[in-house]
């Protein structure tokens, strides 16, 4: 990381030593040179593979300058005195009332601008800043007291940035107004020095005017001082280079001209006009408005970006971090965070993992047009909801407006300060490195022509003791999705289906004739053979109900071809054989579906390439790279597909549905509604948030024409899906996580039919682990299969077909169907009422149902004991809930009920 340091010669040795010991500014924290001896002026934007959160820019582990020592190591940290139930008068103590309704009250501190949020029904208090922080360096302690931090792009050429927070540049200086608005208040913050700047000094003064108005009124010492700044040349005095001038120096020269001399503001305007100087301040000034609103018992934090003003011109807002300590708890508090990463993740407070990189992930995943560094197995966040339990209360954050720009970070105490925290930042401007003249090493930087100018909004919900657990957080968010019309209106409830079998139809194959290679195809799963397999399963497990889907129906195989018209390769079987298979599945109560990619296509035949394919910032038509496992890189191949432009996706999906419904009643879409694809055309850009609207409209346009199921959909497309396919069975497996929890499946609950991702797509999971997931989530297990296999597929685009031969999977199919039947027999129709994890062994889960039964699951590799029950390694136990509660004793049972994360382990 290139850092340019400027040290004033006038700074004392003591200040210099102070900066070297870690009290100076950090990455992205630019200060004036008269304040501190060391000023970081430029830095390089963080790379996506190891991105540094702009909300806490000093937290990266990549550079020594970013790893500053934590101050006040011996400070005693006490629990937040606001925790627990409070009366409204207690909550209001020391604060001014901003607004209240029947359900909640909003308060603020007029000096620190601390925002306090009080829930009358739950009698709970939440503060949105950490004003009592005792540890961390100077920048960190400013951020604890800030409403926001903004990172500015200073210059595009070398990607120089600087970060400013409102506490240092507005709140401390009293540069803000608090105004009442409907349902809340509005903070109008003005960042920057509102005093004199270098622009209050003339750039040039005619020689005769300088003498008459200034020099003849000054003493010799003052003349000499003034001439250090102004040098006479020809007929004028011209100001020298003043890029490093401090505010103190500006005031000194201003006094010489305007106070000791007779120079006036009118003279300044006259001379500026004479020499063609337009007065536009070069001093940094930022104006930003934050609104705090009550919506029933919820708090809305809203930032209208159309009111963001930045001076001087040329500075672009790059990333805005909002309330970095709103979801935080100090090291004396117990609790955990719940993240919707994959299946769901739990991060315990104070878990000691301070040497790990912070968790940082963008909502809906990376921009597919220029960010291609997401490794296989790293799952995206599709549902922007985050929970926190601290002591006996909790907080739920739901990202609303601008959520597609947001990235979430998670960090535990001891890394930069005493706080565990989850915080959100918004990327307002996309930047890409563009290769020059075909060279991969010579690049220049480019930004989108437009940036997001809507509003950013976060909704906070306070949670009582009984609500502050993953199961209840999921229920609350599910209710929110229904109120916001983001829930499927024609959703299918969990059925009696025992398993979902996805058969791969065709696969491209390279053959040779007389040593000359040519492209061919190979049929992997014929309709008649699949029908025979279903009959075999019926004999082995009578009453089997199977959902069946077919992938790779045409000659392109798993690589997306042009799906209009959809041509089912007849080597798979005749139309009569296909119909017989479909009728066999549906007669048993299952669903027969085609499974297709929609947002990508191989080749340009049949398309108007210049308007139908998405363009990246470089102007190139975007093709997706394949990951080469052998050499760990992403590379373009002949099979690499193009991405469809958002303007084309609606008509293309309509064409596909028109073809599908002639042959099947159900369509599973693999790649639409997950990660929005923008469009950087030369004449008309479509930004990421705008692409979401195109996708939603495309899905709405085919509703009712055919049954549509989406694979792992994001919240914005959830309403269009009758079923959720490929529900993750694990999280991204970051070391920061303490446990995988079925948080996402809890959100879907029993209201939606859900199917897990294919077991043979989860290379790291054992069959036993996957079977436990089937029980805990209540989802349908899935296998990807083929009848013929044995191809040399290692390190090829078709590597996913390794090990899919059905002959090798019969035992897996039978075991998963048996597990699914056990779930249906024991828990079908029952509601989950309690979820707990053993505090001493995160592999031990307990799930209680309202039918009086309890499911104990041991995900560990060794046996464990819970109360009077022994659970084998990677095994489960179903028992009566009252039996466990009576063995615990009334007191222990009540304690467990009060603290859902804590289970007592007894021999």
């Amino acid at each position: 990381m290139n850092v340019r340091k400027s040290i004033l010669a006038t700074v004392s040795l003591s200040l210099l030593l102070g900066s070297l010991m870690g009290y100076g500014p950090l990455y992205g924290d630019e200060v004036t040179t008269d304040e501190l001896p060391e000023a970081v002026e430029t830095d390089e934007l963080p790379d996506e593979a190891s991105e540094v959160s702009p909300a806490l820019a000093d937290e990266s582990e990549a550079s020594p300058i970013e790893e500053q020592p934590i101050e006040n190591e011996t400070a005693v940290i006490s629990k937040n005195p606001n925790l627990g139930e409070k009366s409204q008068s207690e909550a209001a103590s020391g604060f001014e009332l901003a607004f209240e309704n029947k359900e909640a009250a909003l308060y603020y501190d007029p000096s620190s601008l601390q925002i306090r949020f009080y829930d009358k029904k739950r009698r709970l208090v939440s503060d949105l800043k950490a004003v009592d922080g005792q540890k961390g360096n100077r920048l960190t302690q400013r951020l604890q007291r800030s409403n926001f931090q903004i990172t500015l792009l200073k210059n595009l050429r070398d990607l120089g940035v600087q970060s400013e927070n409102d506490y240092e540049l507005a709140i401390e200086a009293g540069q803000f107004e608090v105004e009442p608005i409907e349902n809340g208040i509005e903070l109008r913050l003005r960042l920057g020095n509102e005093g004199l700047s270098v622009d209050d000094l003339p750039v040039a003064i005619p020689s005769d005017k300088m003498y008459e108005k200034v020099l003849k009124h000054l003493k010799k010492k003052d003349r000499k001082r003034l001439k250090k700044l102004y040098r006479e040349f020809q007929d004028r005095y011209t100001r020298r280079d003043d890029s490093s001038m401090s505010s103190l120096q500006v005031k000194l020269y201003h006094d010489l001209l305007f106070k000791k001399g007779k120079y006036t503001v009118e003279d300044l305007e006259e001379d500026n006009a004479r020499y063609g100087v337009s007065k536009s301040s070069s001093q940094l000034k930022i104006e930003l408005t934050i609104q705090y609103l009550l919506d029933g018992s919820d708090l809305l934090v809203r930032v209208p970006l159309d009111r963001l003003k930045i001076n001087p011109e040329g500075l672009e807002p790059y990333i805005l971090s909002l309330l970095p300590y709103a979801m935080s708890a100090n090291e004396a508090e117990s609790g955990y965070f719940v993240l919707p990463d994959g299946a769901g993740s739990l991060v315990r407070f104070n878990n000691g993992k301070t040497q790990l990189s912070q968790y940082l992930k963008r909502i809906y995943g990376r921009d597919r047009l220029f960010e291609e560094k997401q490794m296989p197995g790293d799952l995206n966040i599709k549902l922007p909801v985050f929970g926190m339990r601290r002591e006996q209360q909790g907080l739920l954050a739901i990202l609303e407006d601008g959520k597609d720009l947001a990235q979430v970070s998670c960090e535990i105490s001891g890394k930069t300060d005493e706080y565990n925290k989850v915080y959100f930042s918004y990327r307002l401007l996309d930047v890409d490195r563009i290769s020059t003249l075909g060279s991969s090493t010579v690049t220049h930087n480019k930004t989108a022509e437009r940036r997001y100018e809507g509003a950013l909004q976060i909704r906070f919900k306070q949670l009582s003791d009984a609500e502050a657990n993953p199961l209840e957080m999921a229920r609350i968010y599910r209710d929110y999705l229904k109120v916001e019309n983001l829930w499927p209106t024609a959703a299918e409830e969990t059925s009696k289906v025992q398993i979902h079998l996805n058969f791969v139809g065709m696969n491209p194959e390279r053959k040779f004739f007389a040593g000359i290679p040519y492209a061919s195809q190979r049929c992997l799963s014929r309709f008649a053979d699949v029908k025979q397999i279903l009959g075999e399963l019926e004999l082995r497990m009578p009453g089997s109900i199977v959902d069946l889907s077919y992938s790779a129906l045409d000659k392109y195989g798993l690589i997306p071809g042009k799906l209009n018209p959809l041509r089912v390769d007849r080597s798979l079987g005749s139309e009569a054989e296909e119909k017989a298979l479909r009728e066999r599945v549906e007669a048993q109560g299952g669903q027969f579906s085609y499974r297709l990619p929609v947002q990508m296509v191989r080749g340009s035949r049949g398309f108007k390439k210049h308007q139908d394919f998405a363009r990246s910032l470089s102007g190139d038509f975007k093709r997706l790279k394949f990951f080469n496992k052998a050499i760990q890189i992403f590379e373009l191949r002949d099979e690499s597909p193009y991405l469809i432009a958002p303007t084309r996706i609606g008509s293309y999906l309509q064409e596909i549905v028109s073809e599908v419904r002639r042959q099947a009643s159900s369509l599973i879409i693999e790649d639409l509604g997950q990660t929005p694809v923008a469009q950087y055309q030369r004449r008309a850009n479509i930004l990421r948030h705008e692409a979401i609207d195109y996708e939603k409209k495309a899905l709405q346009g085919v509703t009712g024409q055919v049954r549509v199921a989406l694979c792992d959909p994001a919240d914005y497309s959830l309403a269009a899906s009758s079923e959720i396919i490929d529900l993750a069975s694990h999280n991204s497996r970051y070391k920061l996580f303490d446990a995988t929890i079925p948080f996402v499946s809890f959100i879907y609950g029993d209201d939606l039919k859900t199917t897990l991702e294919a077991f043979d797509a989860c290379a790291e999971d054992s069959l036993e682990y996957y079977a436990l997931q089937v029980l805990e989530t209540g989802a349908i297990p899935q296998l990807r299969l083929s009848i013929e296999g044995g191809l040399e597929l290692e390190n090829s685009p078709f590597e996913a077909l390794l090990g899919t031969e059905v002959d090798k999977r019969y035992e897996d199919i039978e075991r998963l169907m048996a597990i699914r039947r056990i779930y249906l027999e024991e828990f079908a129709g029952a509601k989950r009422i309690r979820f707990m994890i053993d505090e001493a062994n995160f592999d031990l889960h307990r799930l209680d149902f309202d039918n009086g039964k309890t499911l104990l699951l041991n995900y560990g590799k060794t046996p464990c004991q819970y109360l009077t029950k022994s659970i084998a390694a990677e095994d489960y136990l179903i028992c009566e809930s009252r039996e466990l509660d009576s063995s615990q004793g009334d007191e222990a049972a009540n304690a467990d009920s009060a603290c859902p994360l804590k289970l007592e382990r007894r021999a």
Side-chain angles (χ1 to χ4, degrees), residues 243-262:
S243 58
S244 61
M245 188 181 299
S246 68
S247 59
L248 184 63
Q249 291 172 310
V250 170
K251 185 177 186 306
L252 184 149
Y253 289 120
H254 191 273
D255 288 347
L256 292 177
L257 290 168
F258 290 86
K259 290 186 178 181
K260 295 183 178 181
K262 303 300 180 182

Side-chain angles (χ1 to χ4, degrees), residues 336-338 346 385-396 462-477 741 743 746-747 832-837 846-847 896-902:
Y336 52 86
F337 295 113
V338 175
L346 185 143
V385 55
F386 305 88
M388 175 182 71
R389 178 183 177 88
R390 52 192 301 200
E391 300 298 324
Q392 279 74 55
Q393 66 187 69
L395 192 64
L396 196 68
Q462 295 203 75
L463 308 177
S464 66
D465 179 26
E467 295 170 325
N469 61 76
L471 185 58
E472 283 301 301
M473 291 176 186
R475 179 193 61 78
I476 292 169
Y477 183 61
I741 58 174
F743 180 58
F746 284 167
I747 291 172
R832 302 173 182 88
I833 59 174
R834 184 165 63 169
F835 172 72
M836 298 184 289
I837 297 179
R846 172 177 172 172
L847 191 58
D896 280 346
S897 181
C899 186
L901 186 63
K902 186 176 181 180

Side-chain angles (χ1 to χ4, degrees), residues 853-872:
K853 294 184 179 181
T854 291
L855 175 63
L856 297 176
L857 305 112
N858 177 18
Y859 285 96
K861 301 292 186 181
T862 58
C864 69
Q865 186 84 12
Y866 173 64
L867 301 175
T868 59
K869 305 297 182 181
S870 298
I871 307 104

Side-chain angles (χ1 to χ4, degrees), residues 12 21 49 95 139 171 192 227 236 248 281 314 327 375 404 524 541 573 636 655 673 692 702 748 765 835 882:
S12 67
M21 293 174 65
F95 282 73
L139 172 60
I171 298 175
K227 288 182 178 180
R236 74 186 74 168
L248 184 63
S281 176
M327 295 189 74
M375 302 298 286
D404 54 289
L524 299 182
M541 302 193 72
L636 283 174
E655 293 165 4
I692 288 177
V702 298
Y748 299 141
D765 296 338
F835 172 72
R882 62 176 180 272

Side-chain angles (χ1 to χ4, degrees), residues 10 190 278 285 346 461 502 526 538 629 780 885 897:
T10 58
R190 304 185 306 278
S278 58
K285 293 183 180 180
L346 185 143
K461 293 176 175 284
N502 171 231
R526 296 172 181 84
E538 179 67 27
K629 186 177 179 181
I780 300 168
D885 292 339
S897 181

Side-chain angles (χ1 to χ4, degrees), residues 46-101:
D47 186 79
E48 280 295 322
S50 57
E51 189 168 0
V52 179
S53 168
L56 295 175
D58 61 322
E59 297 175 5
S60 169
E61 299 176 80
S63 172
I65 195 170
E66 294 164 10
E67 292 190 3
Q68 299 291 341
I70 294 179
E71 301 173 3
N72 305 322
E73 289 287 359
T74 59
V76 177
I77 309 299
S78 60
K79 291 182 181 179
N80 190 328
N82 293 323
L83 295 180
E85 292 189 4
K86 301 286 181 183
S87 67
Q88 187 168 353
S89 60
E90 290 175 313
S93 178
F95 282 73
E96 292 190 12
L97 178 65
F99 181 80
E100 71 174 322
N101 56 28

Side-chain angles (χ1 to χ4, degrees), residues 342-525:
S345 302
L346 185 143
V347 180
R348 181 171 52 88
F349 294 172
N350 316 312
N351 64 14
K353 301 177 182 180
T354 57
Q355 301 304 312
L356 301 177
S357 299
Q358 65 180 8
Y359 174 84
L360 177 64
K361 188 167 286 190
R362 190 170 183 178
I363 306 299
Y364 305 146
R366 301 168 185 267
D367 191 320
R368 300 171 76 185
L369 294 188
F370 57 87
E371 298 172 342
E372 300 180 287
K373 296 179 181 177
Q374 183 163 322
M375 302 298 286
D378 189 15
L379 304 171
N380 290 333
I381 291 177
K382 306 294 175 54
L383 304 176
V385 55
F386 305 88
M388 175 182 71
R389 178 183 177 88
R390 52 192 301 200
E391 300 298 324
Q392 279 74 55
Q393 66 187 69
L395 192 64
L396 196 68
I398 302 173
L399 305 189
E400 296 185 324
D401 297 345
K403 57 192 173 183
D404 54 289
L405 310 176
Q407 50 193 22
V408 58
S409 297
C410 180
E411 186 181 302
I412 49 88
S413 64
K415 188 172 179 64
T416 56
D417 59 17
E418 69 269 35
Y419 288 96
N420 307 275
K421 46 194 170 285
V422 162
Y423 46 93
F424 312 104
S425 50
Y426 295 83
R427 183 176 301 181
L428 307 181
L429 187 67
D430 285 321
V431 182
D432 193 17
R433 294 182 175 92
I434 308 299
S435 298
T436 303
L437 298 176
S439 171
S440 59
T441 57
V442 180
T443 63
H444 69 279
N445 302 307
K446 187 174 182 179
T447 64
E449 294 179 1
R450 297 185 297 121
R451 62 176 172 86
Y452 180 79
E453 294 181 343
L456 309 175
Q457 182 165 295
I458 304 176
R459 179 181 296 268
F460 290 103
K461 293 176 175 284
Q462 295 203 75
L463 308 177
S464 66
D465 179 26
E467 295 170 325
N469 61 76
L471 185 58
E472 283 301 301
M473 291 176 186
R475 179 193 61 78
I476 292 169
Y477 183 61
R478 180 168 65 248
D479 292 344
Y480 163 82
L481 290 173
K482 292 179 179 179
V483 170
E484 296 296 318
N485 296 318
L486 294 172
W487 196 255
T489 54
E492 297 179 8
E493 295 184 1
T494 303
S495 66
K496 300 294 183 180
V497 174
Q498 277 94 54
I499 200 165
H500 183 120
L501 302 180
N502 171 231
F503 279 89
V504 180
M506 301 295 296
N507 187 54
E509 186 176 25
R510 176 169 291 189
K511 294 183 178 180
F512 294 86
F513 177 76
I516 301 174
Y518 67 96
S520 182
Q521 299 82 37
R522 181 174 181 177
C523 179
L524 299 182
S525 304

